[in-house]
Amino acid sequence: MALRSRSAAWPFALIVTAAGLVGCAGAAPAPEDIAVAVYQPRTDVAAERIAITVENLRSEPLEITGARLESRGFAEPMTWPGERTATVPPGRAVDLRVPLVPPDCAADPPVTGTVVLTYRKGAHDVDARLPLPGGDDRLPALWRQGCLASRVAEVATIGTADFLWTPGVPEAVLVVDIVPTGREGTVRLLEAAGTTLLSPAQAGRAVPRAPLDIAVSASDPPSSLRVPMVPNRCDAHALAEDKVGTRIPLLVETEDGSTGRLVLAASDALRERMYGFFVDACAL
């Protein structure tokens, strides 16, 4: 948990004050001195978490004893894990990390969500339901990405298998394994895209996207895809601060015509190979 001053910027944040309060000890007035936000820091992308930010606008400490994020389109609430508390000093904010849950792809896409915050008031815990306003795309985007990945997984398991490079050679090869499920359906791999660290390459030069145009059927035999890769830009700071630079996105199209990004996560060993290539190719 990271405490922040009230003036700290919240990227991609939804900021609201409480609209209603129902306490364990009975109903209570709406707390106008608590604000909440939800966003996803880059550090939480690979960890598959989202942050609930709680800002204490009151003149006394706020003791939080529970929190969860509810949103239509997700199978269950996203709950702050464990039995723990967080004390937020006056004028400060805290981020509560909650694990993402699977999307409910049979439901309508989420428009917004509700933060249910439990905190101490006197001798009792009270629950405040804090609806988030519309206008932020984070929850809908997570729902779309999760449902796209589920539809792709019905056809094939697609994942990063290897990252091949030779010292002194400025181009590497990303190896992607494609293992069809043997069920039904097709998916088309349209393009490979780059990250903050790595880009697909054509004729040895970085390009934002490299066309693939590969159709995968659930009944196909296993296969592999090889994508030439080069550094996106040789920036030591980008490497030192990297959070998502080894997560290679593929643009895919499912059988129903939906398109989106399928992000290929790298294992710890492959991540180190990618970093090693970046350092060598950039002579850092």
Side-chain angles (χ1 to χ4, degrees):
M1 297 177 298
L3 290 173
R4 295 181 293 178
S5 67
R6 179 178 173 181
S7 61
W10 295 350
F12 313 114
L14 302 171
I15 304 174
V16 298
T17 54
L21 179 68
V22 178
C24 300
E32 298 180 354
D33 48 11
I34 301 174
V36 297
V38 294
Y39 75 108
Q40 190 177 38
R42 287 191 304 163
T43 53
D44 287 342
V45 173
E48 297 186 341
R49 300 182 303 191
I50 196 168
I52 300 174
T53 299
V54 181
E55 184 182 14
N56 182 12
L57 306 177
R58 56 180 59 184
S59 59
E60 59 188 33
L62 172 67
E63 184 179 358
I64 301 168
T65 58
R68 67 181 184 270
L69 174 61
E70 299 176 348
S71 181
R72 182 186 73 190
F74 291 90
E76 58 189 72
M78 305 175 208
T79 303
W80 188 37
E83 296 182 1
R84 59 177 73 181
T85 62
T87 301
V88 189
R92 303 293 295 275
V94 65
D95 287 345
L96 309 177
R97 263 65 175 189
V98 297
L100 293 173
V101 299
D104 180 0
C105 300
D108 291 332
V111 176
T112 183
T114 299
V115 173
V116 181
L117 186 71
T118 305
Y119 64 96
R120 297 292 292 176
K121 186 173 183 179
H124 304 283
D125 282 351
V126 293
D127 293 333
R129 295 187 61 85
L130 313 175
L132 300 171
D136 186 276
D137 192 45
R138 177 49 43 194
L139 291 178
L142 289 170
W143 181 87
R144 289 192 299 268
Q145 184 173 338
C147 290
L148 180 78
S150 294
R151 288 193 292 271
V152 171
E154 292 174 359
V155 176
T157 299
I158 301 174
T160 304
D162 209 344
F163 192 80
L164 308 175
W165 66 279
T166 301
V169 178
E171 184 174 292
V173 176
L174 174 72
V175 181
V176 179
D177 275 355
I178 303 171
V179 183
T181 61
R183 302 172 192 165
E184 296 182 351
T186 60
V187 63
R188 184 172 292 276
L189 311 183
L190 303 177
E191 297 175 337
T195 70
T196 53
L197 292 184
L198 301 169
S199 287
Q202 291 182 320
R205 303 186 65 175
V207 293
R209 293 173 297 277
L212 300 175
D213 196 23
I214 297 173
V216 178
S217 171
S219 59
D220 286 344
S223 61
S224 63
L225 166 67
R226 292 178 171 240
V227 182
M229 304 292 291
V230 295
N232 185 349
R233 67 182 191 277
C234 289
D235 183 343
H237 179 74
L239 177 63
E241 298 296 323
D242 179 63
K243 304 296 187 297
V244 295
T246 60
R247 295 170 59 85
I248 308 299
L250 301 182
L251 180 64
V252 303
E253 181 181 35
T254 56
E255 203 166 35
D256 63 359
S258 300
T259 60
R261 296 197 320 161
L262 179 70
V263 179
L264 306 181
S267 66
D268 290 344
L270 285 180
R271 188 180 305 113
E272 290 304 314
R273 290 181 64 82
M274 292 176 176
Y275 288 159
F277 164 72
F278 186 88
V279 169
D280 183 83
C282 292
L284 296 177

